[in-house]
Amino acid sequence: MTEVLLRVFSVTHLLSAAVCFTAFGYKWHDLRRDRRNLSLIALCAGRLLNGSAYLMLAPVSYIAIGKLSGIPNLATLIAYICIILAALFTHVMVYGWFKHPRAVRSSASLIVCFYLLAILAMITLFFATPLPEPHPLDFEIHFAPVASASAYSLVFLTTYGLSLVNTARHAWPSSKVISRPWLSEVLRITAVGSWFVMGFIIGKLLGLVGRWCGTTAFDQAAVLWSPLMASVGSLALGVGYTLPRWGKGVDNRMRRFRSCRRLHPLWLALCQANPGIVLFETRPTRPRVWTRDLQTRLYRIVIEIRDGQRALQPYTRVPCVDALERILRAGPAREARPEVLREASALALAIRGKRRGAGTTGSSKLSTAQTGENFWDELTWLENVAEEFQRLHNDSDPYVGRR
């Protein structure tokens, strides 16, 4: 069982290190543009240090460091120092988020002294402890009978736990009152990740106290559940800290895909009526799930819809459009605005008219001019028209019909 756990946690810790280093890489680009931002500096330093800690705590690295240095458990000291330094930077980052810069500067010296004293105590206690064999998974409970080793573990767990509580108590309440959606999500995920990592602290403390009381009942909490909670919390924090950068990109892509999907029925009907409007590709019956340049695809759909509208102008019968509007408005109430319903009605009749070869001259009810100040206003307008157009084609009214 021990060999299996060593392999499992070698993988999970290395994955956690990769998540931390990825978060560091994401935020490093932001830091290069704003090098004086104290919160960004602290965030990048914290992710880099946490990644280094996970890298050294992975059993395969832990044992290798002990063999190379001749100090079997040296990796736990280096990794825990990295974690305490990361906690220091996280504390500074949180203060930078929620405190005035003057308040941060006035309390910075006390914060730094607190964490540096904890590190000094850990170094002193570690080298005062006889630690003959490497214990990457059960260091705290194995050396619990040794007073200096227990004190070393308590200093680390208490210091790190206080930092996590400080982060969670600032982040969660603030996430409920901040109006910026992305920042609110970041704070919420940061708080959740901090509480998950608190599970690591609680599991280690339970195992330590259990050994003091002469029982091994809580060993599993310290050896198995504690590192698992730390890995889950690390993943949540990595996602939370990088969410504004990649989350907006995902959100924008999903918005463009939704727009393509909403416009597709109208675009397809216009392409079937006027095949020449399509520039790059054939006419799929379903919108593509994956397109490399979705923004260009969306621009092309809008342009081709407008081209299709212009091509249908000779087939629009104004009296028929007016009659159709009266029939539709006499039926069940529709949510569409009058101009949206008029546009969709004109398109539906123009397509039918072309299929029957019923061309006409005279004024048209099709609007081919831009209906907004920018592309996104135009897109919103066409999405509303496409939605109403789809309703007309799904309508059972024989006046509209489905072709």
Side-chain angles (χ1 to χ4, degrees):
M1 183 64 180
T2 303
E3 290 297 325
V4 173
L5 289 179
L6 287 174
R7 294 175 183 175
V8 168
F9 286 120
S10 290
V11 173
T12 58
H13 281 55
L14 291 175
L15 287 176
S16 297
V19 169
C20 292
F21 290 141
T22 301
F24 167 76
Y26 264 96
K27 302 309 293 185
W28 175 253
H29 291 286
D30 297 332
L31 181 60
R32 291 178 64 183
R33 293 192 296 266
D34 188 7
R35 297 185 180 183
R36 296 184 178 182
N37 190 319
L38 183 61
S39 295
L40 271 178
I41 294 172
L43 176 56
C44 288
R47 292 302 90 199
L48 183 61
L49 287 164
N50 268 329
S52 301
Y54 276 111
L55 189 61
M56 287 181 283
L57 286 175
V60 61
S61 305
Y62 189 106
I63 295 171
I65 291 172
K67 290 180 179 178
L68 290 173
S69 64
I71 305 175
N73 293 283
L74 181 62
T76 188
L77 177 63
I78 300 174
Y80 283 2
I81 289 175
C82 287
I83 291 174
I84 294 300
L85 289 175
L88 166 60
F89 283 111
T90 301
H91 204 134
V92 172
M93 178 189 70
V94 171
Y95 267 44
W97 283 352
F98 303 109
K99 303 289 185 180
H100 192 276
R102 291 181 181 177
V104 175
R105 285 192 293 269
S106 63
S107 58
S109 57
L110 292 176
I111 296 172
V112 171
C113 286
F114 172 75
Y115 286 99
L116 290 183
L117 284 173
I119 290 174
L120 181 61
M122 287 168 56
I123 294 173
T124 303
L125 292 168
F126 179 85
F127 286 106
T129 306
L131 305 170
E133 298 176 355
H135 287 272
L137 298 180
D138 60 345
F139 177 89
E140 288 80 9
I141 59 175
H142 182 83
F143 295 108
V146 183
S148 55
S150 294
Y152 162 82
S153 299
L154 279 177
V155 170
F156 165 71
L157 295 172
T158 302
T159 306
Y160 190 30
L162 289 174
S163 173
L164 293 169
V165 171
N166 177 70
T167 302
R169 76 180 183 88
H170 279 93
W172 185 261
S174 300
S175 68
K176 299 180 180 180
V177 298
I178 290 178
S179 58
R180 295 167 59 186
W182 285 111
L183 181 56
S184 178
E185 288 299 324
V186 167
L187 294 175
R188 192 173 292 113
I189 294 174
T190 299
V192 171
S194 298
W195 286 119
F196 266 103
V197 181
M198 273 298 298
F200 163 80
I201 304 294
I202 294 171
K204 292 293 186 182
L205 286 174
L206 283 174
L208 193 60
V209 172
R211 285 299 183 98
W212 289 346
C213 297
T215 178
T216 60
F218 301 108
D219 284 5
Q220 189 176 29
V223 175
L224 179 59
W225 297 111
S226 182
L228 284 177
M229 295 290 282
S231 296
V232 173
S234 176
L235 176 61
L237 290 172
V239 170
Y241 290 144
T242 60
L243 183 63
R245 185 174 178 86
W246 60 265
K248 289 181 181 178
V250 173
D251 188 54
N252 289 336
R253 184 170 183 84
M254 291 303 299
R255 179 187 176 187
R256 294 185 184 107
F257 177 75
R258 286 193 297 268
S259 295
C260 288
R261 187 178 59 184
R262 292 184 68 184
L263 292 176
H264 188 266
L266 175 60
W267 173 81
L268 183 60
L270 292 173
C271 290
Q272 290 172 344
N274 303 281
I277 65 175
V278 181
L279 180 61
F280 291 129
E281 58 184 85
T282 57
R283 299 178 295 280
T285 57
R286 295 182 181 181
R288 290 185 174 183
V289 175
W290 172 256
T291 301
R292 179 175 296 180
D293 191 352
L294 200 55
Q295 181 68 18
T296 300
R297 176 66 188 136
L298 190 57
Y299 273 114
R300 285 304 314 165
I301 288 176
V302 171
I303 292 171
E304 289 164 6
I305 286 175
R306 284 310 194 185
D307 289 343
Q309 288 176 309
R310 280 189 287 270
L312 288 174
Q313 281 184 332
Y315 300 92
T316 306
R317 295 177 179 272
V318 176
C320 292
V321 175
D322 293 335
L324 178 57
E325 283 188 64
R326 288 194 296 270
I327 292 173
L328 292 174
R329 293 196 178 283
R334 290 188 179 265
E335 299 176 357
R337 294 174 297 177
E339 59 271 22
V340 173
L341 181 58
R342 184 180 300 113
E343 183 81 2
S345 304
L347 281 169
L349 288 174
I351 291 173
R352 292 190 65 196
K354 183 172 183 181
R355 287 171 179 167
R356 294 176 178 178
T360 184
T361 59
S363 61
S364 172
K365 286 224 147 186
L366 285 173
S367 171
T368 58
Q370 184 168 332
T371 53
E373 295 182 358
N374 54 48
F375 173 78
W376 297 108
D377 292 337
E378 179 83 355
L379 182 62
T380 301
W381 160 263
L382 288 179
E383 285 180 5
N384 292 331
V385 172
E387 184 177 359
E388 192 62 27
F389 178 84
Q390 185 69 12
R391 290 184 184 180
L392 293 176
H393 273 261
N394 291 333
D395 204 316
S396 59
D397 195 316
Y399 192 88
V400 180
R402 181 189 289 190
R403 299 287 292 189

